[in-house]
């Protein structure tokens, strides 16, 4: 079967099975009215034909009711539309489960981008030793973040897992029962989750997926690349943001941070406990059995008594396991030793922390908190800061902050923000004591603009009783176009500071710097954000090498191409020698977690792709942008940026998002704990708006503006001046530029302007809609001309086929959403704001879920 072309494998194992199981699903009675599943295909047909005839969503829905319902009341119409929404949500889940089940069949697990392929390439080119040297230092860090783009509750995740297995085994009876269970299981949360709830949801993936896929990769590398010898490198690290990410989330408290860290520790120890019980069945030998019984008891004690002090750590556990292994090898001929080695590797990789809990806060909040801390200390007569500190220049303040040490008492502070900030640092210390240093050793400063932002954080850490060297990495996050440009000067100031440079020397001369694709795109548009980050990485690599610092880039990527998503591994494979690439660190969030890392197979495959991208870039090929190409992309980025800035300045820009999109409904979905904007203002402030609802709202409109706007304008400039061949040559010779534009093509593929074509006639927003559509048409036409393709994503037929199926599944859902939005607008104009408008608002809110998950990387 694997000899079939990939698209044929997809059609046979995904598309055909979906059609079969969906036909079963739509005939199952879930409530007293059992005709919903029968009527849904008819609605789909009406939608498809209606848009082909250029009808608007209101006309399409009303035509459906007129044709297939006998004089329904408004209540009956609304009830049926809600039932359609429920059905479509579950159709998306069914397709997800089928696609997951077929993953290893559709995707070649040993093909291009796999570790096996990298190993074989190294052997063929006599680069095995070079590959081994590279893997001694290289790491991939996947950081799970709880952004509001994932709504599957734990009960649904369990059904998906069981459905995946049943589909693989073709167990039709169980599949039918699970589909029935799916139909009766609630999908949405009646109450907003707390950050702890979000953490519990993501810990599910750690326990059920990563705990198995990560060691499998590590074991392969150890056995097949290092010939069974130990590796002094975990190779894959896991990071975790729920419970530690305070940026704009007032619901993250010190208690929640500590509770999440404890949940992580409990979960990994519980996993170890289960493994030790299994190992006891194998190692029934004298000497070994006693060690495992002792380990089992200590793990049990730790799991049951969650907050009691027990003298147990990763180091102690490994010492016990090493002792057991020595007895097995020396006295029992190494019988079953590979099973013990597998467990030892898990303990080495996951420690007592499972995933590193990052702490993150906005620099503006830090500055406010720090200023108040200085005032409070001075009011207490404390001499830590000179009396004139707050009136000194930034340079003078940085010098003073370098020498700050102490152990501040949070109870003396008068400001709530200051107390919370200091308490979060003390929580970090507590976590390190219980979970080990890797439990929490990174403090990220979002919206970082100056060296002072970093040094204020550095000083606050040093004011919290760290007696010797500070066991924490301070990580600036540069996001806006301006901050990316200034990043080199910020880091030069820090590297030139003797105290900070000494701190880095105690952190293995490594500096992690985070770069934000999400807010970068929101601020500067698609081309400028990606090129700006590329240039910032080059500049930061140069300055870091100048100071003998190894810079590590941590990419704040979202799901869609507009937020740094898409085919991320291809980007990492195309960076070239001018950008430091000893580690790949990136955020994975929302439905991208379930789509790329939701099963053991997909997790293994995508982790290997990331590992191989680093290997390819450093060991095999070093793609480098030459001066001619650099001038081209610099000019295109500037042209694109100006087009995007002009677009943002359009007088209808914010009003369009507020009135015509689903923007305001993101906050009402109860998907995530974090507010959709950083401020509490009732008016829409673009600077305070988070990237997720911004990008997500364009996605719900099927316009995907952040993934393409300005790209067409930049390409057209070269067409108009007769220089388009230069762009074609650049595209064909640069992996970076090609991947950049291919990901933009994905955004275009997921766009459908027929859905909102009625807006062209809107008296207020008609011209604005036409402006967006014109840029879409220009971008699409020129990208097809550039690639020589007849349709978008022609060179990724399986990805395109998957998108096509998903878009077809949610076509009625999108139509219902637009129908409801139009109803709300009509009711608002007539000033009828009672129960009726609430129903349609709920309809819009409920329709978000299925659309988000169908796109898999929509926000």
């Amino acid at each position: 079967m694997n000899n079939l072309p990939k698209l044929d494998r997809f059609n046979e194992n995904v598309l055909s099975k979906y059609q079969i199981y969906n036909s079963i699903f739509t005939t199952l009675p879930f409530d007293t009215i059992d005709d919903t599943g029968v009527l849904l295909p008819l609605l789909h047909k009406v939608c498809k034909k209606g848009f082909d005839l250029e009808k608007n969503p209101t006309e399409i829905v009303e035509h459906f009711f007129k044709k297939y319902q006998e004089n329904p009341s408004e209540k009956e119409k609304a009830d049926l539309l809600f039932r359609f929404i429920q059905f479509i949500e579950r159709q998306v889940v069914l397709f997800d489960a089928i696609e997951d089940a077929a993953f290893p069949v559709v995707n070649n697990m040993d093909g291009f981008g796999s570790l096996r392929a990298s190993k074989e390439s190294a052997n063929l080119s006599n680069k095995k030793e070079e590959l081994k040297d590279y893997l001694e230092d290289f790491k991939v860090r996947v950081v799970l973040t709880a952004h509001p783009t994932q709504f599957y509750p734990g009960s649904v995740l369990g059904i998906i897992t069981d459905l995946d297995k049943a589909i693989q085994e073709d167990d039709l009876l169980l599949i039918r029962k699970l589909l029935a269970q799916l139909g009766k299981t609630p999908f949405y949360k009646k109450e907003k989750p707390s950050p702890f709830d979000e953490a519990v949801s993501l810990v599910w993936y750690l326990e059920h997926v990563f705990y198995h896929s990560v060691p499998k990769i590590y074991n392969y590398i150890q056995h097949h690349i290092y010939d069974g010898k130990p590796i002094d490198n975990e190779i894959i690290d896991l990071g975790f943001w729920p419970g530690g990410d305070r940026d704009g989330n007032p619901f993250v408290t010190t208690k929640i941070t500590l509770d999440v860290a404890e949940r992580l520790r409990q979960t990994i120890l519980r996993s170890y406990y289960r493994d030790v019980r299994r190992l006891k069945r194998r190692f029934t030998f004298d000497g070994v059995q006693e060690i495992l019984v002792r380990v089992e008891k200590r793990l049990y004690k730790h799991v049951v008594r969650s907050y009691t002090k027990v003298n147990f750590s990763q180091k102690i556990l490994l010492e016990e396991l090493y002792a057991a292994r020595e007895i097995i090898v020396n006295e029992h001929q190494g019988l079953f030793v590979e099973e013990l080695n597998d467990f030892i590797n898990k303990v080495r990789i996951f420690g007592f922390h499972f995933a590193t809990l990052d702490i993150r806060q906005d620099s503006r909040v830090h500055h406010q908190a720090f200023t108040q801390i200085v005032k409070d200390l001075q009011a207490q007569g404390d001499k830590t800061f000179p009396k004139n500190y707050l009136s000194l220049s930034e340079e003078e303040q940085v010098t003073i902050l370098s020498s700050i040490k102490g152990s501040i008492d949070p109870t003396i502070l008068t400001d709530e923000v200051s107390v919370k900030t200091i308490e979060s640092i003390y929580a970090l210390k507590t976590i390190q004591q219980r979970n080990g240093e890797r439990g929490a050793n990174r403090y990220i400063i979002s919206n970082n603009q100056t060296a002072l932002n970093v040094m204020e954080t550095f000083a606050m850490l040093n004011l919290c009783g760290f007696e010797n060297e500070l066991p924490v990495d301070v990580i600036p996050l540069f996001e806006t176009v301006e901050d990316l440009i200034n990043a080199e000067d910020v880091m030069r100031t820090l590297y030139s500071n003797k105290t900070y440079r000494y701190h880095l020397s105690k952190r293995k001369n490594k500096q992690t710097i985070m770069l934000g694709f999400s807010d970068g795109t929101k601020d500067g548009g698609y081309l400028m954000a990606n090129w700006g980050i590329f240039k910032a990485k080059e500049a930061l690599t140069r300055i870091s090498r100048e100071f003998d610092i190894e810079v590590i880039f941590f990419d704040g990527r979202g799901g869609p191409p507009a937020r740094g998503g898409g085919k991320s591994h291809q980007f990492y494979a195309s960076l070239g020698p001018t950008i430091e690439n000893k580690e790949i660190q990136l955020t994975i969030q929302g439905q991208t977690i379930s789509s790329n890392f939701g099963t053991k197979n997909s997790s293994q495959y995508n982790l290997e792709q990331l590992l191989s991208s680093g290997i390819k870039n450093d060991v095999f090929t070093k793609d480098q942008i030459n001066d001619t190409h650099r001038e081209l992309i610099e000019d295109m980025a500037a042209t694109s940026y100006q087009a995007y800035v002009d677009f943002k300045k359009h007088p209808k820009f914010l009003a369009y998002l507020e009135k015509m999109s689903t923007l305001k409904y993101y906050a009402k979905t109860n998907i995530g704990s974090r507010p959709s904007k950083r401020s509490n203002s009732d008016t829409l402030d673009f600077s305070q708006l988070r990237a997720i609802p911004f990008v997500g709202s364009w996605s719900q409109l099927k316009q995907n503006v952040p993934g393409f706007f300005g790209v067409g304008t930049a390409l057209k400039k070269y067409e108009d001046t007769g220089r388009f061949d230069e762009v074609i040559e650049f595209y064909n010779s640069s992996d970076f530029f090609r991947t950049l534009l291919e990901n933009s093509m994905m955004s275009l593929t997921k766009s459908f302007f027929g859905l909102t074509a009625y807006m062209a006639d809107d008296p207020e927003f008609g011209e604005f809609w036409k402006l967006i559509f014109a840029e879409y048409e220009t971008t699409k036409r020129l990208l097809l001309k550039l690639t020589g393709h007849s349709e978008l994503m022609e060179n990724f037929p399986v990805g395109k086929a998957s998108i096509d199926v998903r878009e077809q599944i949610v076509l009625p859902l999108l139509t219902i959403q637009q129908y409801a939005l139009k109803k709300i607008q009509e009711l608002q104009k007539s000033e009828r704001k009672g129960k009726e408008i609430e129903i349609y608002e709920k309809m819009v809110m409920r329709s978000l879920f299925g659309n988000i998950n169908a796109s898999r990387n929509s926000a």
Side-chain angles (χ1 to χ4, degrees):
M1 189 178 289
N2 277 326
N3 292 327
L4 289 171
K6 191 173 182 179
L7 183 59
D8 290 346
R9 298 200 302 270
F10 174 85
N11 289 333
E12 187 174 317
N13 293 279
V14 179
L15 185 56
S16 296
K17 284 190 176 182
Y18 173 72
Q19 290 165 344
I20 293 166
Y21 295 140
N22 186 49
S23 65
I24 296 171
F25 179 62
T26 53
T27 58
L28 292 172
F30 297 123
D31 48 40
T32 52
I33 302 168
D34 60 4
D35 60 352
T36 311
V38 177
L39 288 170
L40 183 55
L42 299 174
L43 175 61
H44 184 276
K45 188 176 179 182
V46 169
C47 291
K48 198 169 187 314
K49 188 175 180 181
F51 286 120
D52 288 343
L53 295 171
E54 299 183 355
K55 302 286 187 184
N56 67 49
T58 303
E59 292 171 325
I60 289 168
V61 172
E62 292 297 350
H63 175 69
F64 167 80
F65 283 122
K66 187 176 180 181
K67 188 171 183 178
Y68 294 107
Q69 299 283 282
E70 195 171 332
N71 297 321
S73 66
E74 289 302 311
K75 183 181 183 305
E76 287 171 333
K77 286 181 183 179
D79 287 346
L80 183 57
L81 292 177
F82 274 115
R83 291 205 303 277
F84 283 151
I85 290 170
Q86 288 177 305
F87 250 86
I88 295 165
E89 284 173 347
R90 287 154 178 79
Q91 284 180 313
V92 172
V93 173
L94 174 60
F95 188 76
D96 280 351
I98 292 168
E99 205 166 35
D100 286 343
F103 191 93
V105 178
V106 174
N107 298 278
N108 185 352
M109 299 292 285
D110 294 325
F112 182 78
S114 69
L115 282 171
R116 183 185 291 273
S118 295
K119 182 202 75 170
E120 289 173 357
S121 295
N123 288 340
L124 287 170
S125 54
N126 294 317
K127 289 188 173 182
K128 186 176 179 181
E129 289 306 313
E130 196 175 335
L131 175 60
K132 285 165 71 173
D133 289 345
Y134 182 69
L135 286 172
E136 281 177 9
D137 295 317
F138 182 66
K139 285 179 189 285
V140 165
R141 180 186 290 256
V142 169
V143 181
L144 306 185
T145 69
H147 287 330
T149 56
Q150 168 64 283
F151 79 95
Y152 291 151
S155 54
V156 175
L157 287 173
I159 296 170
I160 294 173
T161 302
D162 294 341
L163 200 51
D164 177 339
K165 189 178 178 184
I167 290 166
Q168 287 186 55
E169 296 172 356
D170 286 322
D171 188 340
L172 197 57
L173 181 61
L174 180 57
I175 290 168
R176 195 177 189 281
K177 287 182 177 179
L178 289 167
L179 290 176
Q181 181 188 1
L182 189 65
K184 292 177 177 291
T185 302
F187 265 48
Y188 70 99
K189 304 174 178 74
K190 292 180 181 177
E191 295 180 2
K192 211 171 182 65
S194 72
F196 183 77
D197 296 330
E198 289 176 325
V200 170
S201 297
L202 292 193
V203 167
W204 188 93
Y205 291 99
L206 292 177
E207 184 174 12
H208 296 281
V209 179
F210 288 98
Y211 184 72
H212 304 281
S213 61
V214 172
K216 189 172 182 181
I217 293 169
Y218 185 92
N219 292 341
Y220 180 88
I221 292 171
Q222 186 176 49
H223 291 299
H224 297 281
I225 296 176
Y226 285 87
D227 304 316
K229 293 172 185 171
I231 319 168
D232 190 25
N233 178 19
E234 294 82 20
I235 296 176
I236 297 172
D237 282 332
L238 300 176
F240 206 75
W241 273 19
D245 182 8
R246 283 168 162 68
D247 180 15
N249 193 338
F251 306 111
V252 177
T253 64
T254 303
K255 184 179 185 304
I256 280 179
T257 301
L258 290 168
D259 286 348
V260 169
E262 185 60 21
R263 183 62 173 247
L264 287 165
R265 191 180 74 98
Q266 292 286 308
T267 305
I268 191 60
L269 295 185
R270 188 167 61 243
S271 299
Y272 291 164
Y273 176 75
R274 286 195 292 262
D275 275 356
V276 168
R277 286 180 66 85
R278 280 194 289 270
L279 287 172
K280 277 174 62 189
R281 295 180 63 182
R282 287 280 180 265
F283 298 109
T284 50
F285 327 136
D286 283 345
V288 182
Q289 181 76 190
E290 289 81 355
I291 292 173
L292 293 179
V293 167
R294 189 161 63 240
V295 166
E296 180 190 15
K297 285 180 179 176
R298 298 191 81 169
L299 285 169
Y300 179 77
K301 225 184 247 188
H302 245 245
V303 171
V304 173
R305 301 176 187 174
S306 59
Y307 279 98
T308 56
K309 270 198 173 182
V310 184
N311 183 25
F312 199 30
S313 65
Q314 178 192 21
K315 182 173 178 289
I316 293 169
L317 177 55
L318 283 172
E319 285 171 355
E320 293 274 41
L321 297 176
Y322 289 148
R325 184 169 64 185
E326 194 170 338
I327 295 170
I328 293 163
V329 171
N330 293 335
E331 299 178 23
H332 303 288
Q333 296 76 49
L335 190 59
F336 295 125
V337 73
E338 66 281 353
E339 294 187 33
L340 181 62
N341 282 335
D342 175 59
F343 182 55
I344 287 171
N345 286 343
K346 285 177 178 175
V347 178
R348 290 190 68 246
I349 294 165
F350 302 122
F352 272 35
H353 65 287
F354 213 162
T356 300
L357 185 63
D358 288 347
I359 308 296
R360 183 171 78 126
Q361 185 54 284
D362 190 287
S363 65
R364 292 163 292 194
V365 176
H366 271 168
H367 183 68
Q368 175 194 335
F370 193 76
T371 301
Q372 191 58 48
I373 288 169
V374 173
K375 290 177 181 176
D376 286 344
L377 286 173
Q378 288 178 338
Q380 294 275 332
D382 190 283
K383 305 293 184 188
T384 303
F385 295 93
K387 285 183 179 180
N388 65 340
Y389 172 80
L390 294 174
S391 61
L392 296 175
S393 68
E394 184 174 311
E395 189 178 345
E396 290 170 321
Q397 286 182 341
V398 166
T399 302
I400 290 169
L401 294 176
S402 304
S403 59
I404 296 298
K405 273 280 190 185
S407 188
I408 193 170
D409 180 0
T411 61
I412 70 163
L413 302 176
T414 59
D415 174 59
E416 185 184 1
V417 177
S418 304
V419 172
K420 286 181 176 178
T421 305
I422 293 299
E423 282 183 345
S424 71
I425 297 173
Y426 279 115
L428 184 150
K429 285 183 69 179
T430 302
I431 294 166
Q432 288 196 357
Q433 289 161 5
R434 290 191 62 77
N435 297 19
E437 189 197 301
R438 285 167 66 202
N441 62 359
R442 291 152 47 105
Y443 202 117
I444 299 159
I445 312 145
S446 56
N447 191 49
N448 197 97
Q449 298 175 350
T450 65
L452 183 63
N453 294 151
V454 176
M455 291 308 292
E456 284 179 340
T457 307
F458 184 68
M460 280 192 283
L461 286 159
N462 279 313
L463 280 170
C464 291
F466 288 103
E467 292 176 8
N468 301 311
E469 285 83 31
L470 183 64
V472 181
D473 295 322
V474 184
I475 303 174
L477 164 53
F478 300 105
E479 299 175 86
T480 67
V481 172
E482 186 180 352
D483 291 343
L484 290 168
I485 292 168
N486 295 333
E488 180 181 7
D489 289 338
V490 170
M491 297 314 299
R492 180 178 291 279
T493 301
L494 292 171
Y495 291 159
S496 301
N497 184 286
K498 288 182 181 178
T499 307
Y500 191 78
R501 183 66 187 81
Y502 175 78
H503 165 67
L504 290 180
S505 73
K506 298 300 179 181
R507 303 299 294 165
K508 299 181 179 177
N509 284 313
K510 293 182 178 183
Q511 170 68 55
T512 303
I513 298 173
M514 191 172 178
L515 301 159
F517 282 84
S518 304
D519 284 288
T521 305
K522 174 175 161 270
D523 180 56
Y526 181 72
L527 273 186
M528 177 56 87
N530 281 277
W531 179 236
I533 287 172
F534 188 94
K535 287 195 298 178
K537 284 185 174 181
E538 286 189 320
L540 292 167
T541 297
R542 280 195 305 271
I543 187 71
S544 299
R545 287 174 178 171
E546 182 186 324
F547 282 87
D548 293 323
I549 302 293
E550 183 183 307
V551 66
I552 297 163
F553 294 115
F554 176 21
D555 291 327
R557 293 180 176 273
R563 297 185 53 239
K567 297 184 178 299
S568 301
H569 58 275
Q570 291 185 356
F571 261 119
Y572 290 115
S574 69
L575 292 178
T578 58
I579 292 176
E580 197 72 75
N581 197 32
K582 286 286 180 68
E583 289 193 28
I584 289 174
Q585 297 191 8
L586 71 163
T587 53
I588 307 288
Q589 65 189 40
Q591 79 279 25
T592 313
I593 298 173
S594 55
S595 61
N596 289 359
F597 301 93
T599 67
K600 294 171 192 174
N601 285 321
S602 62
S603 173
Q604 180 187 338
Y605 179 85
N606 285 296
L607 285 170
E608 286 195 22
Q609 291 285 319
L610 285 170
L611 280 166
S612 296
S613 67
I615 294 167
K616 179 179 181 292
N617 184 44
D618 199 85
V619 179
F620 297 118
T621 59
K622 292 180 172 62
D623 187 52
Q624 191 162 3
I625 298 176
N626 63 37
D627 291 343
T628 303
H629 293 160
R630 192 174 286 273
E631 285 178 22
L632 270 175
I633 193 169
E634 186 75 46
D635 182 57
M636 281 190 283
T639 304
S640 172
Y641 177 65
Q642 191 56 54
Y644 181 76
V645 168
D646 291 344
F647 175 64
K648 282 198 307 180
K649 287 179 180 176
H650 193 287
K652 295 299 178 186
F653 179 80
L654 285 178
Y656 182 81
L657 274 175
E658 256 191 315
K659 294 181 183 179
M660 306 301 277
S661 83
T662 58
L663 181 66
K664 64 184 178 184
Y665 297 98
Y666 265 81
K668 301 176 181 180
T669 55
N670 292 334
I671 298 173
S673 71
R674 197 170 69 174
S676 59
K677 54 185 180 178
R678 288 180 169 91
S679 70
N680 295 320
S681 170
D682 291 332
T683 57
L684 182 58
D685 180 350
F686 185 73
S687 66
Q688 295 294 324
L689 179 63
R690 288 197 171 278
I692 290 166
F694 173 70
V695 173
S697 297
W698 291 112
S699 175
Q700 295 282 330
L701 284 169
K702 304 310 290 180
Q703 293 176 4
N704 288 324
V705 161
F708 71 81
F709 202 93
V711 175
T713 300
L715 292 173
K716 191 171 187 301
K717 176 181 176 181
Y718 282 81
E719 183 186 50
D720 291 346
T721 54
R723 298 177 61 194
F724 203 71
D725 285 347
E726 295 176 39
V727 184
I728 293 173
E729 189 275 327
F730 184 19
Y731 175 84
N732 290 328
S733 60
S734 168
D735 287 345
F736 171 76
F737 188 53
R738 185 164 55 253
T739 303
L740 190 65
L741 294 188
E742 283 173 351
N743 278 339
S744 187
M745 279 189 262
M746 186 188 292
S747 291
L748 293 171
T749 304
K750 293 183 177 185
S751 297
F752 174 48
F753 278 81
L755 180 71
T756 56
Y758 71 90
M759 293 181 187
D761 299 323
D762 187 273
E764 184 179 357
F765 296 108
E767 292 307 311
F768 187 71
W769 184 92
K770 289 174 186 174
L771 172 70
I772 299 168
F773 183 56
E775 182 67 14
Y776 163 81
E777 290 275 83
T778 302
T779 308
K780 181 179 177 180
R781 177 179 68 82
L782 290 175
L783 283 176
L784 290 176
K785 180 179 178 179
L786 175 65
T787 58
H789 296 162
S790 58
E791 59 179 18
L792 295 168
M793 291 185 70
E794 189 178 295
N795 53 337
F796 296 105
V798 172
K800 185 179 187 307
S802 178
I803 290 170
D804 288 345
V805 177
R806 291 172 178 278
E807 296 296 307
Q808 285 303 305
I809 291 171
V810 296
L811 184 64
L813 190 60
L814 292 163
T815 310
I816 291 168
Q817 183 183 91
Q818 284 298 314
Y819 170 78
L821 283 168
K822 191 71 177 159
K823 281 284 189 183
I824 292 166
Q825 290 162 16
E826 289 170 3
L827 290 166
Q828 285 173 335
K829 282 176 185 174
S830 65
E831 297 186 354
R832 288 158 60 196
K833 298 184 180 180
K835 191 78 175 172
E836 202 174 349
I837 204 167
E838 286 179 23
I839 290 169
Y840 289 113
E841 286 187 331
K842 184 180 177 185
M843 199 176 288
V844 172
M845 183 268 289
R846 286 295 316 280
S847 67
L848 292 173
F849 301 144
N851 290 331
I852 286 170
N853 279 283
S855 292
R856 283 207 154 186
N857 63 358
S858 61

